Structure formats: C-alpha cells, structure tokens
Amino acid sequence: MHVGIIMDGNGRWATRRGLARLIGHKRGAAQVKKIVKSCPELGVETLTLYAFSTENWKRAAHEVEGLMKLFRGYLSNNLVELHEKNVRVRFLGDPTPLSPDILGMMQTLGNLTKNNTGLKLNVAINYGGRDELVRATRAIARKVELGELDISDINETCIAEHLDTNGQDDPDLIIRTAGEMRLSNFMTWQCAYSEFAFVEESWPDFTREVFESTLENFHSRTRQFGAVVTAQNKFTE
Ligand code: IPE
Ligand code: IPE
Ligand code: MG
C-alpha cells in the first residue's frame, strides 16, 4: 500500500501557541521520524511525504532558510538509522535549485539505501505535480527528437515511466492534515484513483494513533476503479 501525506499546519500549530512558525516546522520534523517508524507495522509499503512545494519558495526568506536547515538536520541525523531500518529513500521534485550541500546529502542517502528492501520512503522537496509533468514531457520530447521514441509509443505507461515516481505504484491514499481540502500541486498525475483523507489535526499533532485510525477508515472503503464492485468481486489490496 502506498500512502502520500501532505504535511500541513506546522505554522498554525505554532502560532496558536504563541510560538514562531519555525518551531512548528521543528515539531513537524520530529513527527516525520515517528510516522516513518510506524509504517512497517501498519502495512504501509511506500510513504510519500510532501516536504516542500515548488510554490513554497514564495514564503519569507527566513522561513525558507529555516526549512532548508531542518532538511539538512533531518538528512544528516537520520542517514544511519534509515539505512539500518532497511528504508529505501528516494527524492521527488526538481533538485536543481537546492543548495549543493543538501543535494550532496540527498545523493548520499539515495545511493546508500537504493538496494534496501523495506519501506520505500519518497521525500518530495521542491516538488510540484505540474513541474513534474513538464519535466517528464521535456524528457519524452527529447527522446522523440533523438529518434529514440516514436510518438505512437507515448501512452500512460510511458508518461508514468518518466515521472519522479517511476517504477512505483500510485498512492492508494492521500492524507492531508490541518483541515485544508486541496492538493496544492501534489501528485497531479498519480492521484487519479487515490482515496483522500482530510484530517483536522495539524501535522505536529498527527500521531501514530491518528495515522492508524485514518488507515482503518481507508480499509473500510470500497474502491471501484470505474467498475461496478459486488460482494463477489470486491477489489483487494
Ligand atoms: C506545512 O506547514 C509545512 C510546509 C508547507 C513546508 P505550513 O507551514 O504550511 O503550516 P500552515 O499551513 O501555515 O499552518
Ligand atoms: C502544501 O502546503 C505543501 C506542503 C505541505 C509541503 P501549503 O501550506 O504550502 O499549501 P497551501 O499554500 O495552503 O495550498
Ligand atoms: Mg500550509
């Protein structure tokens, strides 16, 4: 099962407590660790975390810098543990505008864990679903131009293979915290048949228990994928 999480509400969590928004992000980063740890026990095989969108650069410079500092901390503090826990880490998004040291750490973690067989953890940094489709379109067009691909070869499988998630199943469930009901440019292509869960808790309050009950609710749903599902042919995960 693949779960995508739009980790929202760090800023509001802090503001409500009279704290700086960055304190909320710090608490959010701590929450990531707990949720990642809980995945194998909860039957989650792939977890995609939306950490920073292509639109988040619009925030105040000190907030962006603070978030980058937290990524640095997360990457350096969790490298050994993620590898020990057999997690395979992949990054989604366009890494080019990120600072070279963050890029280096992302490459190290990706390479170190690439043959691991446990949880597949995707971290979406400078990710936008539309940007991903633009990059995929360019890559496909380049191949057509070079004669490596024929226009008639472009189909849904071909497009999926040129996305950052190539080789992975689409998310079965997308969770967004903090009560907002929108995707904010998350997995535009991949969400076609995802189930959605919008929970009231802000990301720093999204505990393992809340995660578990959200997953229980998901498992009680019937997914039809356009077909008519009867008791006899109910789709199973
Ligand atoms: C999510 O929390 C973290 C990022 C988008 C990086 P927000 O910072 O969006 O928190 P709110 O939505 O302002 O409360
Ligand atoms: C979405 O949250 C992006 C991430 C969680 C990384 P935002 O807080 O940036 O989304 P909007 O601006 O409320 O749509
Ligand atoms: Mg937000």
Side-chain angles (χ1 to χ4, degrees):
M1 167 180 197
H2 180 175
V3 177
I5 307 185
I6 303 169
M7 307 182 290
D8 198 17
N10 293 347
R12 278 166 281 171
W13 182 92
T15 306
R16 273 199 299 273
R17 288 163 176 78
L19 303 167
R21 290 176 58 84
L22 274 171
I23 308 278
H25 293 313
K26 214 167 161 180
R27 284 295 293 260
Q31 213 55 30
V32 165
K33 227 179 140 144
K34 292 186 198 154
I35 293 302
V36 167
K37 206 170 150 206
S38 72
C39 281
E41 301 147 32
L42 298 178
V44 176
E45 291 142 340
T46 307
L47 178 71
T48 299
L49 297 176
Y50 201 8
F52 193 88
S53 75
T54 47
E55 288 72 37
N56 285 146
W57 300 103
K58 293 179 199 162
R59 297 188 178 199
H62 73 272
E63 181 165 345
V64 171
E65 201 30 65
L67 283 165
M68 294 300 154
K69 211 168 147 187
L70 282 172
F71 296 149
R72 273 190 196 95
Y74 180 81
L75 293 169
S76 59
N77 297 337
N78 291 284
L79 181 122
V80 174
E81 195 180 331
L82 287 167
H83 188 43
E84 274 173 7
K85 293 248 157 72
N86 199 21
V87 177
R88 198 184 94 181
V89 185
R90 192 196 266 205
F91 294 92
L92 312 183
D94 174 9
T96 47
L98 300 172
S99 76
D101 67 317
I102 294 184
L103 226 93
M105 284 193 259
M106 283 161 60
Q107 268 157 9
T108 307
L109 186 56
N111 285 334
L112 179 73
T113 63
K114 69 170 187 275
N115 295 321
N116 287 349
T117 53
L119 174 72
K120 293 190 194 84
L121 174 65
N122 296 327
V123 184
I125 298 184
N126 190 33
Y127 175 87
R130 288 185 172 184
D131 177 68
E132 181 186 38
L133 281 164
V134 169
R135 287 184 286 109
T137 306
R138 286 189 179 155
I140 293 168
R142 213 168 289 125
K143 287 185 185 171
V144 171
E145 197 173 56
L146 292 170
E148 293 171 9
L149 199 70
D150 197 78
I151 288 180
S152 61
D153 297 330
I154 302 172
N155 53 23
E156 292 188 12
T157 308
C158 167
I159 293 173
E161 278 169 0
H162 288 83
L163 298 176
D164 300 338
T165 47
N166 70 76
Q168 296 184 343
D169 293 333
D170 288 338
D172 298 289
L173 172 68
I174 294 177
I175 301 170
R176 183 170 184 143
T177 59
E180 306 300 339
M181 295 192 209
R182 56 176 172 267
L183 281 174
S184 303
N185 212 358
F186 185 62
M187 302 205 117
T188 308
W189 171 275
Q190 298 89 336
C191 76
Y193 262 104
S194 303
E195 296 290 323
F196 291 93
F198 298 101
V199 303
E200 285 306 317
E201 286 82 359
S202 286
W203 176 247
D205 290 330
F206 189 79
T207 56
R208 185 206 147 105
E209 289 68 35
V210 181
F211 192 22
E212 206 169 343
S213 70
T214 309
L215 292 174
E216 268 167 29
N217 174 291
F218 163 82
H219 286 300
S220 72
R221 301 183 195 181
T222 302
R223 301 175 78 193
Q224 302 206 124
F225 300 98
V228 175
V229 178
T230 59
Q232 284 77 39
N233 69 357
K234 194 172 189 303
F235 286 103
T236 49
E237 285 308 311

